[in-house]
Amino acid sequence: MGGYLTNFGVHPRDPYGLIGIPLAPFIHGSWEHLIANTSIAWVLVFLVALSGRAVLWRASTIIVLVSGLGTWVVASPLTVHVGASGLIFGWVTFLIFQGWYSRSILQMLLGVVVVFAYGGVLWGVFPTTMGVSWQMHLFGAIGGVIAARSVGQDMRRNRQVMKRRQRMQRAPYQEAPLYGSASPGNRPWGGQ
């Protein structure tokens, strides 16, 4: 399946290989590779998208860039890295850490569920299987943590702003006294 398209993957330390950073997640070496990534990707995309479309795009962009650049810098030259597994590892770590950074109980609970359901895949960040890009896995996971921090801090900041606005709306409207309505002792010219 990959054939000619794998030329558009990440080629480490080759300037031509930089084109593969945004393209590699869409290129797979075989049908089995594509099916293995797609099955888990649907579930993870759904879970990330629960936080909103903008969060999904922002997190995915950060993960793809960190995964691709990290692989481009660290992986062995004369190799080609393709597949969505860097993105998948990033989504897993994003979901695990988003609750921590956003201080959201629901996000933390979702992170615990993700750890139990998909935490085992994180062993793929170690170089255990020949022909599998552990570099993409590792930097995808790092990208997921970076994205969780970035998105989580913004979510927390937005919640604080909303709470502040709600408090201001609930507070009774108090107008500063005008000189004409102030009692005689409070008048700046001091008298009648």
Side-chain angles (χ1 to χ4, degrees):
M1 178 183 171
Y4 172 75
L5 291 178
T6 57
N7 289 330
F8 294 104
V10 176
H11 296 261
R13 294 187 288 278
D14 177 357
Y16 171 77
L18 290 170
I19 190 100
I21 291 171
L23 299 179
F26 302 104
I27 304 169
H28 290 78
S30 66
W31 285 106
E32 293 81 21
H33 186 203
L34 176 66
I35 291 167
N37 281 339
T38 303
S39 58
I40 190 172
W42 282 113
V43 175
L44 295 173
V45 163
F46 172 76
L47 293 175
V48 174
L50 289 174
S51 295
R53 194 176 0 189
V55 170
L56 174 63
W57 282 105
R58 183 172 167 190
S60 298
T61 301
I62 292 169
I63 293 165
V64 166
L65 290 176
V66 172
S67 175
L69 282 172
T71 301
W72 188 83
V73 170
V74 171
S76 299
L78 304 177
T79 58
V80 180
H81 300 260
V82 295
S85 54
L87 192 53
I88 288 168
F89 276 71
W91 284 331
V92 168
T93 57
F94 175 82
L95 290 166
I96 292 170
F97 286 95
Q98 183 185 19
W100 173 261
Y101 288 115
S102 68
R103 305 289 193 265
S104 167
I105 297 297
L106 289 175
Q107 292 289 346
M108 287 181 195
L109 291 174
L110 177 60
V112 169
V113 169
V114 169
V115 166
F116 283 112
Y118 298 110
V121 302
L122 293 177
W123 287 106
V125 300
F126 299 109
T128 55
T129 307
M130 189 68 140
V132 174
S133 178
W134 63 270
Q135 297 93 341
M136 274 242 185
H137 297 176
L138 174 64
F139 287 103
I142 291 169
V145 174
I146 292 169
R149 181 173 185 198
S150 172
V151 169
Q153 288 177 340
D154 283 352
M155 291 174 79
R156 191 172 69 221
R157 197 174 306 117
N158 290 342
R159 267 198 320 273
Q160 290 170 346
V161 168
M162 292 302 292
K163 284 181 184 178
R164 203 173 311 124
R165 285 183 184 161
Q166 289 172 349
R167 272 184 287 175
M168 290 175 68
Q169 288 175 350
R170 276 188 258 133
Y173 182 73
Q174 296 178 352
E175 192 174 317
L178 299 174
Y179 290 128
S181 62
S183 62
N186 289 339
R187 291 189 181 146
W189 57 86
Q192 323 291 329

